[in-house]
Amino acid sequence: MPRKQKRKLLEQPQPVINRWFAIKAIRISRPYVESTLRVYLRAKLTYQERKRSAALTSALDTTIKELKKLNASKFESLKVFFNLSLFFLIAEKDIQAVKVDALSHPDAWKRNLSLRIMLLVIHEWDMAKVAPANKLREAYEAASISQELREEMTEAFRKINKAHSKAKQLLAHARHATIAHRDADAMLQYETITNLDAMETMKVAASFYEGADLFIQALPKVMLEAGSIHSLLKQYSRHA
């Protein structure tokens, strides 16, 4: 039985022809559209991040200056809180430094490398290392931190730790194979790098920031209470 010949494109129904040309047009124009959007996004992000970068630098400088003064003092609780703040700010500054490139750099490899740096920072950003629960409880007690603020900090840590755990599960393989140790299987390393999902990485970063936002709101209030006259006198008397 003779095979039925395929009908030529222009012999197809009009909706089929229209759909074919639409798909073709999208495929041809997509790289140009993405490039244009990336240029726009880069300009917008660079402008938005300029103020944030300046604010982070100022906060870092102030925190470092105060922590250096505190290291020679007997205000142990304040040292704990300022050290926690500095730990957070350093990681925040690292992510802020590569965020624009991760989202909008014109070179694909540079975007990918910036994403991988973000993964490494998030993966290693373990607040429990710098402020174990028992050490934090002692600092609260010594500084007479209110129960309300303790609960705010506990909730912030709970969300940060949950997001951090999720990040470690999602990113452990990419981190191990492409950043921290470099897998000996070069092809596996290359495929892991090139298959890195930018959107999934940014989702992980966003979920981590949800907990971090609570921390940013709570910690300054804790530091203010710890810096009150009553609190400073109590901290001093414990180590006099």
Side-chain angles (χ1 to χ4, degrees):
M1 188 173 180
R3 293 172 60 186
K4 191 176 181 180
Q5 290 187 342
K6 287 186 177 181
R7 289 198 292 174
K8 294 180 180 179
L9 175 64
L10 296 180
E11 294 174 355
Q12 301 288 335
Q14 192 60 44
V16 174
I17 297 172
N18 293 344
R19 186 163 61 249
W20 187 89
F21 277 110
I23 293 171
K24 195 74 172 176
I26 290 170
R27 286 176 178 169
I28 293 171
S29 64
R30 184 172 180 176
Y32 303 101
V33 172
E34 288 182 350
S35 177
T36 302
L37 287 175
R38 199 170 287 121
V39 169
Y40 168 76
L41 181 63
R42 187 169 184 80
K44 183 179 180 180
L45 286 173
T46 300
Y47 176 76
Q48 289 177 343
E49 290 297 314
R50 191 176 296 135
K51 285 185 179 180
R52 184 176 182 82
S53 179
L56 276 171
T57 300
S58 176
L60 266 170
D61 291 344
T62 301
T63 303
I64 291 167
K65 188 186 299 183
E66 294 303 317
L67 189 53
K68 284 180 177 178
K69 292 178 186 175
L70 284 168
N71 280 335
S73 77
K74 296 182 179 181
F75 304 125
E76 297 301 321
S77 292
L78 264 180
K79 289 181 192 178
V80 170
F81 301 139
F82 268 91
N83 188 59
L84 188 57
S85 176
L86 183 58
F87 182 84
F88 177 86
L89 287 169
I90 290 170
E92 173 80 359
K93 187 66 176 174
D94 281 346
I95 289 179
Q96 193 272 335
V98 298
K99 185 164 62 176
V100 173
D101 282 346
L103 289 168
S104 65
H105 198 280
D107 182 81
W109 197 272
K110 183 65 180 288
R111 287 198 305 274
N112 187 287
L113 176 60
S114 299
L115 278 171
R116 283 182 279 140
I117 292 170
M118 286 181 67
L119 299 189
L120 183 60
V121 174
I122 293 172
H123 193 281
E124 300 302 320
W125 194 354
D126 188 354
M127 303 293 274
K129 288 192 299 188
V130 71
N134 60 332
K135 186 176 181 181
L136 208 52
R137 279 195 299 270
E138 289 175 10
Y140 290 152
E141 187 60 35
S144 296
I145 301 300
S146 67
Q147 186 60 34
E148 182 183 357
L149 274 182
R150 294 187 197 194
E151 289 173 2
E152 275 191 52
M153 287 288 284
T154 298
E155 178 64 12
F157 272 109
R158 187 186 69 79
K159 290 201 173 185
I160 286 174
N161 290 338
K162 184 178 178 181
H164 179 253
S165 177
K166 182 181 177 182
K168 288 184 76 170
Q169 291 172 10
L170 289 171
L171 309 175
H173 175 65
R175 170 201 177 257
H176 182 81
T178 71
I179 316 168
H181 304 294
R182 297 279 180 174
D183 200 286
D185 185 336
M187 183 56 72
L188 173 62
Q189 185 185 147
Y190 175 78
E191 288 175 350
T192 304
I193 288 172
T194 54
N195 291 330
L196 190 63
D197 189 329
M199 291 307 298
E200 192 61 32
T201 302
M202 297 312 295
K203 282 179 186 176
V204 170
S207 68
F208 194 82
Y209 269 113
E210 287 177 13
D213 284 344
L214 292 176
F215 177 80
I216 292 169
Q217 294 170 31
L219 184 61
K221 291 185 280 187
V222 170
M223 292 166 75
L224 280 174
E225 278 199 7
S228 67
I229 296 298
H230 169 72
S231 178
L232 291 174
L233 287 173
K234 186 176 179 182
Q235 292 172 64
Y236 187 85
S237 64
R238 287 171 67 98
H239 300 279

